[in-house]
Amino acid sequence: MVIFCDEVGGLRVVRLVTENQPNTTKLKGYNKGNGKTIYFKHFIEIKDADGKPIKIGGVRFIENDSKYDLNNRQVAKARDTVLNHSRQATENKKKIAVLKNGDKKKKQD
């Protein structure tokens, strides 16, 4: 799930999973086509496996069909959880800040 998008098309994503694992929260009101309960991880991902920024249409990020889109309330709840109510909140905020500062530097160049 995308929780932030910058002006250059870089994404900040939170991975959705079907198992209740440590550092996950149930995504209420959302069941994918298979009917399983969906959870989101508390880690924001900013780079793909090759260390490059995550972009729409990239190899590691494939957009779901629009019928599986989350509503604004679900995205806001996930964003609030990963930034304010998880053990990883400080680390997640740093990732967002680094990327926002990087966007400002690119605009100045």
Side-chain angles (χ1 to χ4, degrees):
M1 136 181 45
V2 176
I3 60 167
F4 290 102
C5 181
D6 64 20
E7 295 167 0
V8 218
L11 305 175
R12 283 56 157 194
V13 299
V14 173
R15 185 174 295 188
L16 299 178
V17 295
T18 57
E19 297 177 12
N20 186 9
Q21 304 168 346
N23 300 309
T24 60
T25 300
K26 182 179 178 181
L27 189 56
K28 293 182 181 177
Y30 182 79
N31 291 325
K32 202 161 175 171
N34 59 10
K36 292 185 178 180
T37 303
I38 303 296
Y39 301 86
F40 62 89
K41 291 192 171 197
H42 296 169
F43 303 95
I44 293 178
E45 296 182 22
I46 57 174
K47 295 184 179 180
D48 64 13
D50 299 327
K52 297 179 181 175
I54 299 172
K55 303 254 184 195
I56 293 177
V59 176
R60 298 288 177 184
F61 181 81
I62 301 169
E63 213 170 343
N64 278 341
D65 191 10
S66 61
K67 66 182 177 184
Y68 297 120
D69 283 354
L70 302 170
N71 63 40
N72 291 338
R73 179 178 279 161
Q74 291 166 324
V75 174
K77 172 68 174 163
R79 185 181 301 157
D80 181 54
T81 300
V82 299
L83 292 177
N84 300 314
H85 304 291
S86 68
R87 279 186 264 154
Q88 298 79 12
T90 304
E91 181 182 331
N92 290 336
K93 286 178 183 178
K94 286 179 185 177
K95 288 179 183 178
I96 298 295
V98 166
L99 289 169
K100 282 185 179 180
N101 291 336
D103 292 345
K104 290 177 186 174
K105 288 178 185 175
K106 288 178 186 175
K107 286 181 189 176
Q108 292 174 354
D109 293 343

